[in-house]
Amino acid sequence: LARTVAVFHAAAPHDPEVTAEGSRDAALKRWAALVAEVRTTRILASDLVSAVERLAGRFLEGRAPLIAQRCADDRIVDGHGDLVADDVFCLDDGPRVLDCLEFDDRLRFADGLDDAAFLAMDLERLGRPELATAWLDAYAGFSGDPAPAALRHHYVARRAFAQATAACLRTVRGDPAAAADAHTHADLALRHLRSGAVRLV
């Protein structure tokens, strides 16, 4: 599966419109939009949302050279956009991936590692953090991606918080079971943002 996704990313378009969505400024806007949407629902605790906003912003503000280099290295791809465990079918001759995100092309434009992080996040949510780590290790190996661990944490956190946002909106629209889903994903996002915070030693 990691080889298949890495090959798919290598062959994906890398034009300027795609690359622009992988910039630091685009990432800051995505985080800001997610935080603003979550706040309107009042489902998650305000201090949790503020912590997510602070940690995500601090990481991105300090990583402009890293993100710019990834854009220059054509790491931004037109990817799957929504790769979760339910989209992977294990057949006798190997895995198949279905159901890419189609309603907004720009939501598929992301760093390849960010695209892969979606499945890592979902595997962790399902109680298999060791598979999440193995998946990202394998993807990095097949794609030749030298990204630091902190960037992995950041992308997993973003995917988790996006899922938390969607769950908050479902809760407001009358799905009571979605509130627990929102909290699970938000806690996962905060945990990864804390793990990815760079420390001076």
Side-chain angles (χ1 to χ4, degrees), residues 68-154:
Q69 188 61 55
R70 293 184 70 77
C71 290
D73 291 343
D74 285 336
R75 292 283 175 191
I76 316 306
V77 300
D78 182 351
H80 184 281
D82 190 27
L83 183 57
V84 293
D86 282 348
D87 296 332
V88 180
F89 295 82
C90 298
L91 306 179
D92 290 343
D93 62 343
R96 298 287 186 280
V97 177
L98 301 180
D99 187 40
C100 80
L101 196 151
E102 294 182 355
F103 64 85
D104 184 346
D105 289 351
R106 289 187 314 125
L107 294 178
R108 292 195 314 269
F109 301 167
D111 190 309
L113 183 62
D114 188 359
D115 200 34
F118 211 140
L119 180 57
M121 177 275 299
D122 201 41
L123 289 169
E124 189 167 343
R125 178 191 64 85
L126 292 167
R128 298 300 301 271
E130 76 288 354
L131 278 184
T133 299
W135 156 248
L136 286 179
D137 285 346
Y139 172 79
F142 285 117
S143 62
D145 193 331
L151 190 61
R152 288 188 184 192
H153 285 298
H154 184 82

Side-chain angles (χ1 to χ4, degrees), residues 2-194:
R3 181 169 51 244
T4 297
V5 172
V7 168
F8 170 64
H9 283 168
H14 297 88
D15 60 50
E17 181 187 7
V18 172
T19 300
E21 292 300 317
S23 71
R24 193 268 307 269
D25 289 347
L28 283 167
K29 285 179 185 173
R30 275 195 298 273
W31 274 106
L34 291 172
V35 167
E37 230 172 355
V38 164
R39 283 205 167 113
T40 64
T41 68
R42 301 179 184 224
I43 303 298
L44 299 175
S46 178
D47 59 341
L48 184 151
V49 177
S50 294
V52 165
E53 182 179 35
R54 184 180 68 256
L55 288 167
R58 182 185 294 165
F59 182 90
L60 288 169
E61 289 293 346
R63 299 294 161 272
L66 170 63
I67 304 227
Q69 188 61 55
R70 293 184 70 77
C71 290
D73 291 343
D74 285 336
R75 292 283 175 191
I76 316 306
V77 300
D78 182 351
H80 184 281
D82 190 27
L83 183 57
V84 293
D86 282 348
D87 296 332
V88 180
F89 295 82
C90 298
L91 306 179
D92 290 343
D93 62 343
R96 298 287 186 280
V97 177
L98 301 180
D99 187 40
C100 80
L101 196 151
E102 294 182 355
F103 64 85
D104 184 346
D105 289 351
R106 289 187 314 125
L107 294 178
R108 292 195 314 269
F109 301 167
D111 190 309
L113 183 62
D114 188 359
D115 200 34
F118 211 140
L119 180 57
M121 177 275 299
D122 201 41
L123 289 169
E124 189 167 343
R125 178 191 64 85
L126 292 167
R128 298 300 301 271
E130 76 288 354
L131 278 184
T133 299
W135 156 248
L136 286 179
D137 285 346
Y139 172 79
F142 285 117
S143 62
D145 193 331
L151 190 61
R152 288 188 184 192
H153 285 298
H154 184 82
Y155 286 147
V156 170
R158 186 179 85 75
R159 294 302 185 169
F161 201 69
Q163 293 298 94
T165 304
C168 285
L169 294 173
R170 291 199 312 273
T171 304
V172 169
R173 292 173 189 146
D175 179 1
D181 193 31
H183 285 92
T184 296
H185 280 100
D187 289 343
L188 181 58
L190 185 57
R191 188 163 66 249
H192 276 278
L193 285 171
R194 285 173 172 159

